[in-house]
Every structure is written in C-alpha cells, then in structure tokens.
Amino acid sequence: MQYDDWVFFSHCIKKDAKKYVIVKQLDHASIDEIAVTIENELKELDETAEVEIYSGQNDQSALMQIGKRAVTDGADVIIPIGTQAAQTMVVVSEDTEIPVVYATISDPEAASLTGIDRVNRYI
C-alpha cells in the first residue's frame, strides 16, 4: 500500500475501532497480498486490533453470509476487496453504522458505491 493510500485509509476508520473484517471477493495472489498488507498495517496501528479475513470465493451467497456474520458479530469496520464484495457489504450493512472502506474498485461510481452517506471510502 502506498503511503498516501494508507494515510487516507487510516483517517477513514473509526478511532475506537477494534474489530475489522476483511472480505476478499475471491482467493487470488494479488487480492491475498492486499488483505495481508491491510491486516499487518492495522495490527501495526493497534496491536490489540482483531482482524478477520474471509473469502467469498466469488460466490454472491457466500459473500452475503460473510457480511451478515460480520454485522451480527459486531464488526467495527468492514473492508471488502473487489467490486462484488464491496457492493454486497454495502447492502448487508445498510441498516447499521458500520463503515465500509473498500479497496480495488476500478470504477466506484459505475458500481454504485459513491454518494452513500455513510460509505464513500475507497483505497
């Protein structure tokens, strides 16, 4: 992650956040690397942070289950990686105050991920 991206990301997360859920759209070397980098940076920022990483295996129903579980389990921040993962996490968390900070979205506007009051963050 580049320095400017990390500064932006660290300002997007809640100051008192402790539980982070990273949701990969699928397993892929580059996506896995992004997830691990985010996890490492979060733990460096706060060594007591709880970080969970899940993969939706490119399956919409699996992504929905992961998102619902993240909400039910009290995630402070959800970090989806990939367009479908981001869209799904926005839907499952829409009735909550949980911020969704998404990564690797090539066109957030086309994916309907902009202009959302509580969610408009991406790296």
Side-chain angles (χ1 to χ4, degrees):
M1 190 178 303
Q2 296 178 346
Y3 176 75
D4 291 342
D5 292 337
W6 181 248
V7 169
F8 177 75
F9 177 75
S10 64
H11 288 290
C12 293
I13 61 175
K14 298 191 309 188
K15 299 294 182 207
D16 59 345
K18 292 291 181 189
K19 184 171 185 173
Y20 302 87
V21 175
I22 299 171
V23 182
K24 302 183 302 176
Q25 184 166 315
L26 66 147
D27 292 322
H28 184 278
S30 61
I31 292 174
D32 296 345
E33 185 176 339
I34 292 166
V36 169
T37 299
I38 292 171
E39 176 185 33
N40 291 340
E41 294 290 340
L42 288 168
K43 287 185 176 180
E44 187 174 310
L45 187 65
D46 178 0
E47 58 191 42
T48 65
E50 181 183 339
V51 182
E52 299 172 358
I53 300 175
Y54 297 98
S55 175
Q57 300 299 326
N58 221 21
D59 180 303
Q60 180 67 34
S61 63
L63 287 166
M64 289 292 283
Q65 286 180 322
I66 292 167
K68 288 177 182 178
R69 180 175 179 191
V71 169
T72 301
D73 288 351
D76 292 313
V77 179
I78 300 174
I79 307 164
I81 303 172
T83 302
Q84 184 180 17
Q87 291 168 324
T88 304
M89 295 309 112
V90 166
V91 169
V92 299
S93 66
E94 68 185 343
D95 293 331
T96 73
E97 295 292 319
I98 302 171
V100 176
V101 183
Y102 47 88
T104 70
I105 312 300
S106 58
D107 192 347
E109 190 169 348
S112 300
L113 293 169
T114 60
I116 304 168
D117 287 341
R118 65 173 186 78
V119 182
N120 195 9
R121 314 253 192 259
Y122 60 94
I123 57 174

